[in-house]
Amino acid sequence: MCGIAVSIALHRTKDSSSPRSGNEHSNVHSKFTPARDSKGTHKYQDLADKLSASLDLVAHRGPDAKGVWVSEDGAIGLAHNRLTINDLSPHGGDQPIHSDCNRIHAVVNGGIYDYDNIRSSLDASYNFKEFSLVIYDESTNKVIAARDRFGIKAAKAFLALDWTQPEWDLGSIVEGGWLGDDRALFKGVRKVLPGYWMEVNLDEDDGEMMHRQYWDVEHKDKREIETRSVEEMVLGVRERLMEAIRLRLRADVPVGIYLSGGIDSSLLAGMVTHLVREQGIKIGNLDATNSRVRCFSIEFPHESGYNESDIADRTASWLGLQILKKKVDEQTLADSFADTVYHCEHHHNDLNSVGKWALSTLPQEHGFKVVLAGEGVDEHFAGYPFLVAEYLREVDPSMPDTPLSQNQLLQDELQRTAQQEIAGTLKHVGVDGGKNAQLGAFAPWRTAFMALLADARRKIAEKWHPLHTAEYVWNKSVLANSILTCLADRTEMAHSIEARPPFLDHVLSEYVNGLPPNLKIAYTPPGTDTNTNQEKPSAEIGPWWKGTKMIGGLFKKKWILREAGKPCITEELYERKKHPYTASATWPRDGPLHKVLRSICARAKVEKLGFMDPEVVDSALEFGFGKQADGFAFRRLLLVASWVTIGERFGMKGIKGVAAFRVAEFNKMDGERRAK
C-alpha cells in the first residue's frame, strides 16, 4: 500500500536535445535525478518539489520511503510514498520502479498477493517487476492508469500541484454523482472507475484520454436451471474463501483481524484460526501455532444500543484469540470527526466512519500494519436487509422446487410487506431516502443507473434476477464510492494500516455471482431451521429491525455463507441476524458532539458554503439532539458539518452571488431540466 502523485503535461515541450530513451532515474528515498542543464541544475526541480509536497500530504499512506522521478522533458512526473509490508530490505521495494530497458516507469498502489504463481507463469527470460496503477511507456509515449476491480485502492495528492483553490461541484452533490458515477465533490475532478484503465496518448495534440473497462461483474441467466447440488455449492464457497484468506495472510510483517459482533469478521477469524492450527499457515511473519491470533475490536457505549463488543468477546474466547479493544465514546467521536471527514474527502450521514477512524488507531498502536477486514460480504452474499424486497420481486426460476418458486401469490404478498417494513425502519432511524436524496446523501439510483454501460443495462432488463441487479448497482456506487472509502481505505490508511478484504477476492466473488438467489437469501418461516426443519429459538435482531416481522424473522440472509462457515463460527453467530455497522444517531443536548457540530455549523460558516440554508441548519441543531431527537435532523447536520470541514481544510471557493440558491431549489431545477 502507498500514496502516489502523478503529473502529466498534455502539451509537452519537444526538445530534440533530450531523447526519450536512457533516462537517468532514482528510486532511493526522496532523491530526485531528472535531466540537468549546462550548469548542472535540475531542469524540472520545481515540478519535483511540487510532487514531493504532494507526497507530504499523504505521508500517512506510506511513511517508510519516498521517491520522485521526472522525465527528461518534464512531461511526466511520478512520485510514491511506501508503506513497507513485503520485502523489508533497505530500498528493496522503493518506487517509482523502472524496467530493465529503462523505457517503462511506474508507481504502484497495493500489491499482488499471488505474486509467485503469476511470476512463474511469465516468460522466464524477463526480469519480472510488479506495477499496475500508473505506468509511463516511453516507447509508445503513453500513460496508463488502472484501478482494481472493486475500487479497494485509492490515492490522491493534488493540492500542491497548482490547484490553488478548488471549487465545489454542486451538481455532483445534488445529483449524487460523487456516489453514482465518476465525479467527486471537486469541480473538474474525475475518478478512474473500478475495473477500468485510462490511457493518455501524449503524441496526440490534445492529449486524448480514453477510458476502457477491463473487468465487470457477471451473473448467470436467471432462467438457467441450477444443476449443482447445494452441498457442492456450499463447499465451493468454503474452499474459495479459505484460499482468499490464505493469500491475504502473506506479508513480512504481522497480520491482525478486525473483529466485530457480526458473522463476517467472525468467520474470517475462525478460518484464520483453522489455517494456523490445522495447516501451520503463518499470520504474516508470525508463527501463531503456539500463540494467539490478535484481533482488534471497537466498543461503543453500551447504552447506545450499538455495542457488539460482548459478542466479539465470546467469539474470541471460543476461538482462543487475543482481542484488543478501542473504546469509542461520544468525546472520541467528537474529537475525531473533522479529521475523519478530511481524509474521506466526502460527506457521510453516519458516525460509523468516525468509529472506523478511531478503531484504526489500535493496530497502529500495537505495531501492526496489516489487518483482514470483512468489506464486500453483504454486497455479494445479499446481507443487506433491503435486498429482501429486491429478492422477492421475482421468483427464482433457477431453483423451481423451492417453496416461494411454487407460490407466486405468497411471494408477492411478502414483497409488499418487506418494502413497507424497510421504508418504515429507515424513516425510524432518520434515513429517509426521499429527504436525504435532496442532499445527495443516499444512493442516487437514477444517477448510478444512467452511469452503467449499455451492455449492463441490457442484462438487467433481460437476463439478471432483480436481486443480482440490486447488488450490481450497489457495488458500482455505494460500495466503491462510500463503503470502501470512508469505512475502509481512507480511514484505515490515515493511520498507515492496510486492510485486506478477502470477500472481495475476484475468484471468490465470480463464483458467488454465479449462485442462485435462493441460496443467498433463504425463506425461513418462524422457528424453522432450513436444514432440519426443527424448531429453533428466535435470534436477536438488533436496534434497526425491532418490530419488523418480515426482515427480522422470515428470511435468513447470507444463507450459503453461514453454511460454508458453520464449522468456524459459534451457534450464536450462525443464527444472528444482520446488524448494519452504524453508530447511534441519538446523543444528549450540549454534549461533546452537539458542541462540536454547533461550532462547525456556525451560521457564518454555513453562509460561506453558499448552498445550504442557515435557517434549516439552525433548526437541525435545535432538534437533532436530546432524548426525543429527530434522527433526520442529526444526519443532516453530519452532512453540512462534512461540507463545512472540507471547505475549510481544502480551501474551497464558496458559491457566491446566489444567496437564495439552495440545494432544494437546485434539485427542483435539475428535475425540470431532466424532464425537458
Side-chain angles (χ1 to χ4, degrees):
M1 193 65 82
C2 71
I4 67 168
V6 178
S7 172
I8 304 173
L10 298 183
H11 299 286
R12 57 191 294 148
T13 302
K14 297 185 182 297
D15 185 351
S16 59
S17 66
S18 300
R20 288 188 300 183
S21 61
N23 283 356
E24 185 180 8
H25 66 265
S26 172
N27 62 349
V28 180
H29 292 267
S30 58
K31 294 181 179 179
F32 164 68
T33 56
R36 300 171 182 268
D37 60 21
S38 59
K39 297 181 180 180
T41 304
H42 294 157
K43 281 187 176 182
Y44 301 103
Q45 185 64 50
D46 181 60
L47 175 57
D49 291 343
K50 290 178 180 179
L51 287 167
S52 180
S54 294
L55 290 183
D56 292 340
L57 291 174
V58 291
H60 50 275
R61 297 189 66 91
D64 299 327
K66 178 179 179 181
V68 176
W69 175 87
V70 176
S71 63
E72 290 189 9
D73 59 2
I76 304 297
L78 304 176
H80 181 275
N81 283 336
R82 186 185 180 210
L83 178 64
T84 305
I85 291 173
N86 289 310
D87 188 356
L88 306 184
S89 61
H91 316 315
D94 289 348
Q95 297 190 42
I97 52 179
H98 312 271
S99 65
D100 291 341
C101 64
N102 204 29
R103 287 179 175 270
I104 300 175
H105 317 276
V107 284
V108 183
N109 176 21
I112 301 173
Y113 303 123
D114 200 17
Y115 55 84
D116 48 357
N117 287 335
I118 296 174
R119 186 196 302 270
S120 64
S121 69
L122 298 176
D123 185 347
S125 65
Y126 184 75
N127 185 12
F128 178 74
K129 293 180 179 179
E130 299 161 358
F131 45 83
S132 61
L133 189 60
V134 180
I135 303 172
Y136 170 49
D137 187 343
E138 292 189 34
S139 61
T140 61
N141 209 20
K142 293 180 179 179
V143 177
I144 292 175
R147 196 175 179 195
D148 65 84
R149 294 171 177 86
F150 296 106
I152 301 169
K153 311 298 183 187
K156 288 184 181 178
F158 39 71
L159 290 183
L161 291 176
D162 293 329
W163 198 32
T164 55
Q165 190 172 29
E167 297 182 34
W168 294 103
D169 187 336
L170 188 57
S172 176
I173 293 175
V174 175
E175 297 171 357
W178 69 276
L179 189 62
D181 55 37
D182 66 342
R183 287 175 286 177
L185 297 189
F186 310 101
K187 184 178 290 186
V189 175
R190 289 290 189 270
K191 295 170 286 193
V192 177
L193 294 172
Y196 277 73
W197 58 284
M198 180 186 74
E199 179 181 304
V200 183
N201 187 342
L202 298 179
D203 283 334
E204 299 290 337
D205 290 339
D206 58 355
E208 181 184 5
M209 294 184 183
M210 295 176 289
H211 292 79
R212 295 189 174 96
Q213 188 177 41
Y214 68 85
W215 183 89
D216 198 10
V217 173
E218 184 58 270
H219 295 283
K220 290 179 66 174
D221 191 316
K222 60 188 177 184
R223 296 159 294 193
E224 182 180 337
I225 301 298
E226 182 58 67
T227 59
R228 295 168 292 181
S229 69
V230 172
E231 292 75 16
E232 177 185 352
M233 289 183 278
V234 169
L235 181 61
V237 170
R238 183 181 299 145
E239 291 176 342
R240 287 164 177 79
L241 178 55
M242 196 75 78
E243 177 63 10
I245 294 171
R246 185 189 66 81
L247 288 174
R248 283 159 182 79
L249 291 175
R250 305 182 70 171
D252 294 334
V253 295
V255 177
I257 305 170
Y258 279 146
L259 180 64
S260 69
I263 186 175
D264 313 335
S265 61
S266 300
L267 179 51
L268 292 181
M271 287 193 166
V272 168
T273 302
H274 170 81
L275 288 169
V276 169
R277 295 175 182 170
E278 302 299 325
Q279 299 184 25
I281 300 297
K282 287 186 175 182
I283 310 175
N285 65 346
L286 296 179
D287 182 354
T289 54
N290 296 315
S291 61
R292 293 195 293 172
V293 177
R294 232 139 358 145
C295 299
F296 305 96
S297 186
I298 190 170
E299 182 177 353
F300 284 121
H302 180 74
E303 61 273 15
S304 71
Y306 291 82
N307 180 41
E308 299 180 338
S309 63
D310 55 342
I311 303 175
D313 280 337
R314 292 192 288 272
T315 297
S317 176
W318 188 73
L319 292 172
L321 311 175
Q322 180 183 1
I323 185 169
L324 302 168
K325 294 184 183 180
K326 177 69 175 182
K327 290 187 177 182
V328 178
D329 57 15
E330 184 183 4
Q331 188 65 59
T332 302
L333 293 172
D335 292 343
S336 305
F337 177 82
D339 285 338
T340 301
V341 171
Y342 168 71
H343 282 272
C344 291
E345 298 179 14
H346 64 74
H347 51 276
H348 191 51
N349 72 342
D350 198 286
L351 291 172
N352 52 4
S353 58
V354 187
K356 190 61 176 288
W357 161 280
L359 172 62
S360 296
T361 65
L362 191 59
Q364 183 188 51
E365 291 169 1
H366 290 270
F368 280 72
K369 292 183 177 181
V370 181
V371 293
L372 299 189
E375 282 79 24
V377 62
D378 293 314
E379 285 74 12
H380 290 97
F381 288 93
Y384 292 115
F386 71 83
L387 290 174
V388 172
E390 305 304 316
Y391 162 71
L392 291 169
R393 288 190 186 279
E394 290 183 13
V395 298
D396 180 2
S398 68
M399 299 183 72
D401 295 331
T402 56
L404 289 183
S405 295
Q406 297 176 343
N407 194 334
Q408 181 70 60
L409 291 176
L410 174 61
Q411 176 145 336
D412 290 344
E413 180 182 352
L414 293 174
Q415 201 280 332
R416 287 191 295 271
T417 304
Q419 197 74 45
Q420 293 169 358
E421 288 191 354
I422 291 169
T425 297
L426 294 180
K427 185 175 182 179
H428 171 70
V429 297
V431 184
D432 186 317
K435 293 181 180 178
N436 276 285
Q438 294 180 355
L439 301 178
F442 255 67
W445 303 124
R446 178 179 61 183
T447 298
F449 185 81
M450 294 305 295
L452 302 179
L453 295 180
D455 184 57
R457 281 185 268 172
R458 178 188 60 79
K459 292 174 181 177
I460 288 172
E462 302 174 1
K463 180 180 177 182
W464 293 343
H465 188 278
L467 173 64
H468 290 153
T469 293
E471 288 182 336
Y472 182 87
V473 177
W474 179 273
N475 292 353
K476 291 290 183 179
S477 54
V478 181
L479 174 66
N481 297 319
S482 182
I483 293 173
L484 291 178
T485 56
C486 69
L487 295 180
D489 177 80
R490 296 182 191 176
T491 46
E492 292 155 349
M493 285 300 291
H495 305 287
S496 306
I497 300 298
E498 175 182 298
R500 298 176 173 181
F503 291 110
L504 290 178
D505 179 271
H506 77 278
V507 175
L508 171 65
S509 68
E510 287 170 355
Y511 183 81
V512 174
N513 289 338
L515 297 175
N518 277 339
L519 294 186
K520 296 182 178 181
I521 298 179
Y523 175 53
T524 55
T528 301
D529 180 273
T530 52
N531 289 321
T532 64
N533 290 322
Q534 299 296 313
E535 292 295 312
K536 301 290 289 185
S538 298
E540 187 266 320
I541 62 175
W544 270 64
W545 310 109
K546 287 181 179 179
T548 58
K549 177 181 177 182
M550 172 71 63
I551 304 303
L554 295 185
F555 292 91
K556 183 170 286 186
K557 296 164 286 296
K558 297 186 284 195
W559 180 85
I560 193 168
L561 179 66
R562 295 173 190 271
E563 297 301 313
K566 196 171 185 179
C568 300
I569 57 176
T570 64
E571 182 71 12
E572 175 186 24
L573 285 166
Y574 175 81
E575 293 294 337
R576 192 169 189 248
K577 305 298 181 181
K578 167 67 181 178
H579 290 227
Y581 167 59
T582 57
S584 176
T586 304
W587 299 95
R589 293 183 61 83
D590 298 319
L593 276 169
H594 196 186
K595 291 177 180 178
V596 163
L597 293 183
R598 185 187 289 143
S599 174
I600 294 175
C601 297
R603 176 171 282 258
K605 296 181 179 180
V606 174
E607 289 176 342
K608 185 177 180 180
L609 281 178
F611 58 85
M612 280 303 301
D613 188 341
E615 296 292 338
V616 174
V617 178
D618 288 345
S619 176
L621 284 168
E622 174 66 25
F623 297 105
F625 289 87
K627 293 182 179 180
Q628 304 300 320
D630 180 343
F632 174 66
F634 176 77
R635 297 185 189 279
R636 169 174 278 178
L637 282 176
L638 295 183
L639 300 181
V640 177
S642 297
W643 294 325
V644 171
T645 299
I646 291 171
E648 292 180 342
R649 292 286 188 98
F650 286 87
M652 301 288 284
K653 183 178 181 180
I655 300 176
K656 298 180 179 179
V658 285
F661 193 70
R662 301 291 182 246
V663 168
E665 283 82 353
F666 185 95
N667 199 48
K668 179 180 178 181
M669 293 169 57
D670 182 62
E672 293 172 350
R673 177 184 62 81
R674 288 178 179 270
K676 292 178 181 179

